[in-house]
Amino acid sequence: MPGSGCGERVKRFDVIEHTADTGIVAYGADLKEAFANAAYAMFSLMADLECVEEKVCRQIEVEADDRESLVVSWLNELLYLLDVERIVFRRFNVVELSDTSLKAEGWGERLDATRHNLKSGIKAATYHMLRVAKDSRQHSIRVIFDV
Amino acid sequence: MARWEGPLNKIGEYRWEIPKSYKQGMRVPGLIYASEEMLGSIREEQAADQVANVAFLPGIVGRSLAMPDIHWGYGFPIGGVAATRVDDGVVSPGGVGYDINCGVRLLRTNLHESEVRPRLEKLLSELFINVPSGLGSTGKIRVGKREMEEILTQGARWAVKRGFGAKEDLEVSEEEGCLKGADPDKVSTRAKERGTPQSGTLGSGNHFIEVEVVREIYEPAAAGVMGIDEVGQVLLLIHTGSRGLGHQVCDDYVRTLRDAMRRYDIEVPDRELACAPVQSPEGRDYMAAMACAANYAWANRQCIAHWARECFVRVFGKSLRDIGLEMVYDVAHNIAKVESYEVEGRKLKLCVHRKGATRAFPVGHPDVPSKYKQIGQPVLIPGDMGRYSFVAVGTEGAIRESFGSVCHGAGRTKSRHAARKGVRDADVAMELASRGILAKAASRGGLAEEASEAYKDVAEVVEVCHRAGLCRKVLKTYPMGVIKG
């Protein structure tokens, strides 16, 4: 399932095979976009984001020791918000990004099992096979989830 | 994914060793329990490499083990068992996993298949309604701050005190449903926030409730002690864990221990193997927080068992006493425990990590409940929803060589994504129905992801453990109805 959502032409992420779990590689013209797409990919594994509306907005700030850990902190922060505030996010804007901190806005709405076509939940983003990379064309983030 | 081409030397029947020479830094060899036929699929992924990586952990003794249901995890392989010295060894949250005390609970009934079949659909619907399941489902219990602390310190005992189930349930549970050493202050507020609304929920993924029927009994005497007397008898199996609370505890401590590791000058080949000395403040804190999450999971399974009992009473219009539904046993398969073993002639206190592995204590072991003293601890090994599950008992063999551990299930061979490709839930449900198995899932894609084709044959997995002397098969069950989270 190439994850080009919302009719966009540029591929936002790929799902990668991992026996017990599920992983993604998210892409972006810059690193901010790759971080946003990684979050989008994670939520699209759990719900049909086409059915999710943008009713609430959250400011999200996370810190970590390095860029890779920042990916895990970012995604796990969103899973925390999903569990505690029950927000399914569908759009992200990464406002500030350094190697050790991230500020972003996320839009979505409260989880609704009757409308969101919920799939299996994700327990956590892991450090396993974690990679933040850049080639001549784009930035990419690979992360494996514990499902 | 690249094939794993490392060495697997046969050192006995069903025993394949990865020598220390495979990677510089391995402190002990690795050992995988498998049949020759399984090696091909084991080599298809990097799980064996993870067995070797675990052998890097400071203080590890014996061998870094993997059960025949081994598959690729993160840090540790699933099916991994590692014992480290409590005195000078480490504890690694990766050796437990994000779903702390994910485990299984088995209940027996007085009902026969012929009585249950006609009402199976009704029963499944009741279970589906009364046990919250699926992503974002919230529990029916309102838990306040103080009550959350009680859950974390008392586990299943809290649930029984609140009227969910009976005292007798506790006697036939690993640790009597309550792991000692739990300290709620070591659990972050975030973890408690995640756990509060999810108390008493099944979750999603591979978690399930299964109504099953006894298909074959290999050891009638042992089965009899468990209250299982005949082929056709109906059982109930519950599989779930510590939900968001456990996930957050793991995430918190992987981070904490990664920092600590630098201070203690420990190097490991994989970030998910982050660890700290068991006796360090960080190691102790993790153990105390992990115990809280384990207790949360036991409370969770206790509540779910109670609601399942209520469903049976309603559907069959009989008293609980008539229906039975007494607990056979409850085991954890993602946990770290302090246990004593003889290693090279010396009795040592060890921290046994079981990640997708089940404790399997033999006849006479002091931690086996008195009811099972004569047969050994029951070991619950669920297979995939379309085939069968097993009940076994622990043996001396497990104490001698696998730190009292054995396999925990079938083990995946296909990723969830691959399993879902081109397969519709409705088709899976129909195929199952054609074989007399009713299945309901809370999540879209939930049935396709968990279809039999995605798993190893659990019979082969159990057979290897049985023949290797790590456990003895007691009985086999066949699924009748499954609720998937």
Side-chain angles (χ1 to χ4, degrees), chain B residues 395-426:
Chain B
T395 61
E396 276 298 331
I399 293 291
R400 272 199 308 274
E401 58 174 293
S402 63
F403 305 106
S405 314
V406 72
C407 64
H408 85 306
R412 289 191 82 92
T413 54
K414 250 192 202 179
S415 73
R416 289 169 202 280
H417 188 57
R420 225 169 37 221
K421 237 180 224 165
V423 182
R424 296 185 322 151
D425 285 340

Short mmCIF file of all heavy atoms in Angstrom, two decimals, chain B residues 395-426:
data_model
loop_
_atom_site.label_atom_id
_atom_site.label_comp_id
_atom_site.label_asym_id
_atom_site.label_seq_id
_atom_site.Cartn_x
_atom_site.Cartn_y
_atom_site.Cartn_z
N THR B 395 8.59 -29.03 33.21
CA THR B 395 9.39 -30.21 33.52
C THR B 395 10.73 -29.81 34.15
O THR B 395 11.13 -28.65 34.08
CB THR B 395 9.73 -30.99 32.23
OG1 THR B 395 10.50 -30.12 31.39
CG2 THR B 395 8.50 -31.45 31.50
N GLU B 396 11.41 -30.80 34.70
CA GLU B 396 12.77 -30.61 35.22
C GLU B 396 13.71 -30.16 34.11
O GLU B 396 14.67 -29.42 34.33
CB GLU B 396 13.30 -31.92 35.82
CG GLU B 396 12.88 -32.16 37.24
CD GLU B 396 13.39 -31.09 38.21
OE1 GLU B 396 14.45 -30.50 37.95
OE2 GLU B 396 12.69 -30.83 39.21
N GLY B 397 13.44 -30.65 32.90
CA GLY B 397 14.29 -30.29 31.76
C GLY B 397 14.37 -28.79 31.59
O GLY B 397 15.43 -28.22 31.33
N ALA B 398 13.23 -28.11 31.75
CA ALA B 398 13.20 -26.65 31.60
C ALA B 398 14.04 -25.99 32.69
O ALA B 398 14.72 -25.00 32.46
CB ALA B 398 11.77 -26.14 31.65
N ILE B 399 13.99 -26.56 33.90
CA ILE B 399 14.79 -26.00 35.00
C ILE B 399 16.28 -26.19 34.69
O ILE B 399 17.09 -25.29 34.89
CB ILE B 399 14.44 -26.71 36.34
CG1 ILE B 399 13.01 -26.36 36.76
CG2 ILE B 399 15.44 -26.35 37.43
CD1 ILE B 399 12.80 -24.92 37.18
N ARG B 400 16.63 -27.37 34.17
CA ARG B 400 18.04 -27.68 33.90
C ARG B 400 18.63 -26.80 32.81
O ARG B 400 19.75 -26.37 32.89
CB ARG B 400 18.20 -29.14 33.50
CG ARG B 400 18.40 -30.10 34.67
CD ARG B 400 19.00 -31.41 34.18
NE ARG B 400 18.22 -31.98 33.08
CZ ARG B 400 17.16 -32.76 33.23
NH1 ARG B 400 16.72 -33.07 34.44
NH2 ARG B 400 16.51 -33.24 32.18
N GLU B 401 17.85 -26.56 31.74
CA GLU B 401 18.51 -25.88 30.63
C GLU B 401 17.86 -24.61 30.07
O GLU B 401 18.52 -23.88 29.34
CB GLU B 401 18.78 -26.86 29.49
CG GLU B 401 17.55 -27.55 28.93
CD GLU B 401 17.94 -28.38 27.71
OE1 GLU B 401 18.31 -27.78 26.68
OE2 GLU B 401 17.87 -29.63 27.80
N SER B 402 16.61 -24.30 30.38
CA SER B 402 16.02 -23.11 29.76
C SER B 402 15.49 -22.13 30.81
O SER B 402 14.58 -21.37 30.53
CB SER B 402 14.91 -23.50 28.78
OG SER B 402 13.86 -24.14 29.46
N PHE B 403 16.10 -22.14 31.99
CA PHE B 403 15.68 -21.24 33.06
C PHE B 403 14.16 -21.30 33.24
O PHE B 403 13.48 -20.28 33.28
CB PHE B 403 16.17 -19.81 32.78
CG PHE B 403 17.65 -19.75 32.55
CD1 PHE B 403 18.16 -19.57 31.28
CD2 PHE B 403 18.53 -19.94 33.60
CE1 PHE B 403 19.53 -19.55 31.06
CE2 PHE B 403 19.91 -19.93 33.38
CZ PHE B 403 20.41 -19.73 32.12
N GLY B 404 13.67 -22.53 33.32
CA GLY B 404 12.25 -22.74 33.57
C GLY B 404 11.35 -22.09 32.54
O GLY B 404 10.30 -21.56 32.89
N SER B 405 11.75 -22.13 31.27
CA SER B 405 10.98 -21.44 30.23
C SER B 405 10.70 -22.35 29.04
O SER B 405 11.48 -23.24 28.73
CB SER B 405 11.74 -20.22 29.71
OG SER B 405 12.26 -19.47 30.77
N VAL B 406 9.61 -22.02 28.37
CA VAL B 406 9.23 -22.77 27.18
C VAL B 406 8.53 -21.81 26.21
O VAL B 406 8.40 -20.62 26.52
CB VAL B 406 8.35 -23.98 27.63
CG1 VAL B 406 6.98 -23.51 28.07
CG2 VAL B 406 8.26 -25.03 26.56
N CYS B 407 8.11 -22.31 25.07
CA CYS B 407 7.53 -21.47 24.02
C CYS B 407 6.23 -20.78 24.49
O CYS B 407 5.67 -21.14 25.53
CB CYS B 407 7.24 -22.30 22.78
SG CYS B 407 6.00 -23.58 23.06
N HIS B 408 5.72 -19.82 23.71
CA HIS B 408 4.51 -19.11 24.14
C HIS B 408 3.40 -19.13 23.10
O HIS B 408 2.30 -18.68 23.36
CB HIS B 408 4.82 -17.66 24.49
CG HIS B 408 4.82 -16.71 23.32
ND1 HIS B 408 5.56 -16.92 22.19
CD2 HIS B 408 4.15 -15.55 23.13
CE1 HIS B 408 5.35 -15.92 21.35
NE2 HIS B 408 4.50 -15.08 21.88
N GLY B 409 3.68 -19.63 21.92
CA GLY B 409 2.62 -19.61 20.90
C GLY B 409 3.16 -20.14 19.59
O GLY B 409 4.15 -20.88 19.56
N ALA B 410 2.52 -19.71 18.52
CA ALA B 410 2.89 -20.26 17.22
C ALA B 410 4.08 -19.52 16.62
O ALA B 410 4.97 -20.11 16.04
CB ALA B 410 1.70 -20.17 16.28
N GLY B 411 4.10 -18.21 16.75
CA GLY B 411 5.15 -17.43 16.11
C GLY B 411 4.73 -17.08 14.70
O GLY B 411 4.30 -17.93 13.92
N ARG B 412 4.84 -15.81 14.36
CA ARG B 412 4.42 -15.38 13.02
C ARG B 412 5.44 -15.79 11.98
O ARG B 412 6.64 -15.85 12.26
CB ARG B 412 4.29 -13.84 12.98
CG ARG B 412 3.11 -13.28 13.73
CD ARG B 412 2.94 -11.81 13.41
NE ARG B 412 2.22 -11.62 12.17
CZ ARG B 412 0.90 -11.48 12.09
NH1 ARG B 412 0.18 -11.49 13.17
NH2 ARG B 412 0.31 -11.31 10.92
N THR B 413 4.95 -16.03 10.76
CA THR B 413 5.87 -16.22 9.65
C THR B 413 5.64 -15.14 8.60
O THR B 413 6.46 -14.90 7.75
CB THR B 413 5.68 -17.58 8.95
OG1 THR B 413 4.31 -17.68 8.58
CG2 THR B 413 6.02 -18.72 9.88
N LYS B 414 4.49 -14.50 8.66
CA LYS B 414 4.16 -13.47 7.67
C LYS B 414 3.90 -12.17 8.41
O LYS B 414 3.29 -12.17 9.47
CB LYS B 414 2.86 -13.86 6.98
CG LYS B 414 3.00 -14.27 5.54
CD LYS B 414 1.61 -14.35 4.93
CE LYS B 414 1.60 -15.23 3.71
NZ LYS B 414 0.26 -15.31 3.14
N SER B 415 4.30 -11.06 7.82
CA SER B 415 4.01 -9.78 8.45
C SER B 415 2.51 -9.51 8.36
O SER B 415 1.80 -10.10 7.53
CB SER B 415 4.77 -8.66 7.74
OG SER B 415 4.17 -8.40 6.49
N ARG B 416 2.05 -8.62 9.22
CA ARG B 416 0.63 -8.28 9.21
C ARG B 416 0.23 -7.72 7.85
O ARG B 416 -0.83 -8.01 7.32
CB ARG B 416 0.34 -7.22 10.27
CG ARG B 416 0.43 -7.75 11.65
CD ARG B 416 0.42 -6.66 12.68
NE ARG B 416 1.01 -7.16 13.91
CZ ARG B 416 0.38 -7.91 14.79
NH1 ARG B 416 -0.87 -8.22 14.62
NH2 ARG B 416 1.00 -8.36 15.86
N HIS B 417 1.13 -6.90 7.32
CA HIS B 417 0.85 -6.25 6.04
C HIS B 417 0.72 -7.29 4.93
O HIS B 417 -0.23 -7.26 4.14
CB HIS B 417 1.97 -5.26 5.75
CG HIS B 417 1.71 -4.39 4.58
ND1 HIS B 417 0.60 -3.59 4.49
CD2 HIS B 417 2.41 -4.20 3.44
CE1 HIS B 417 0.64 -2.93 3.35
NE2 HIS B 417 1.72 -3.28 2.69
N ALA B 418 1.66 -8.23 4.92
CA ALA B 418 1.63 -9.28 3.89
C ALA B 418 0.38 -10.16 4.07
O ALA B 418 -0.24 -10.57 3.09
CB ALA B 418 2.90 -10.13 3.97
N ALA B 419 0.03 -10.41 5.31
CA ALA B 419 -1.13 -11.27 5.58
C ALA B 419 -2.42 -10.62 5.08
O ALA B 419 -3.34 -11.28 4.64
CB ALA B 419 -1.23 -11.55 7.08
N ARG B 420 -2.44 -9.27 5.16
CA ARG B 420 -3.65 -8.55 4.80
C ARG B 420 -3.83 -8.39 3.31
O ARG B 420 -4.93 -8.23 2.81
CB ARG B 420 -3.61 -7.17 5.46
CG ARG B 420 -4.88 -6.78 6.11
CD ARG B 420 -4.74 -5.55 6.96
NE ARG B 420 -3.84 -4.56 6.43
CZ ARG B 420 -2.99 -3.88 7.18
NH1 ARG B 420 -2.94 -4.09 8.47
NH2 ARG B 420 -2.21 -2.97 6.65
N LYS B 421 -2.68 -8.46 2.61
CA LYS B 421 -2.68 -8.19 1.17
C LYS B 421 -3.63 -9.12 0.42
O LYS B 421 -3.48 -10.33 0.47
CB LYS B 421 -1.26 -8.37 0.62
CG LYS B 421 -0.75 -7.13 -0.06
CD LYS B 421 0.64 -7.35 -0.58
CE LYS B 421 1.50 -6.14 -0.27
NZ LYS B 421 2.91 -6.38 -0.40
N GLY B 422 -4.57 -8.55 -0.25
CA GLY B 422 -5.48 -9.33 -1.08
C GLY B 422 -6.41 -10.25 -0.29
O GLY B 422 -7.10 -11.08 -0.86
N VAL B 423 -6.41 -10.14 1.01
CA VAL B 423 -7.27 -11.00 1.82
C VAL B 423 -8.30 -10.13 2.53
O VAL B 423 -7.95 -9.13 3.16
CB VAL B 423 -6.44 -11.77 2.88
CG1 VAL B 423 -7.33 -12.71 3.67
CG2 VAL B 423 -5.31 -12.54 2.21
N ARG B 424 -9.56 -10.51 2.41
CA ARG B 424 -10.60 -9.72 3.07
C ARG B 424 -11.03 -10.41 4.37
O ARG B 424 -11.10 -11.63 4.43
CB ARG B 424 -11.80 -9.54 2.15
CG ARG B 424 -11.46 -8.72 0.89
CD ARG B 424 -12.71 -8.49 0.08
NE ARG B 424 -13.56 -9.69 0.11
CZ ARG B 424 -14.87 -9.67 0.01
NH1 ARG B 424 -15.50 -8.52 -0.10
NH2 ARG B 424 -15.56 -10.79 0.02
N ASP B 425 -11.35 -9.60 5.36
CA ASP B 425 -11.82 -10.15 6.63
C ASP B 425 -12.99 -11.10 6.41
O ASP B 425 -13.06 -12.17 7.01
CB ASP B 425 -12.30 -9.02 7.56
CG ASP B 425 -11.14 -8.26 8.17
OD1 ASP B 425 -10.02 -8.78 8.18
OD2 ASP B 425 -11.38 -7.12 8.62
N ALA B 426 -13.90 -10.69 5.53
CA ALA B 426 -15.11 -11.48 5.31
C ALA B 426 -14.76 -12.86 4.76
O ALA B 426 -15.37 -13.87 5.14
CB ALA B 426 -16.03 -10.75 4.34
#
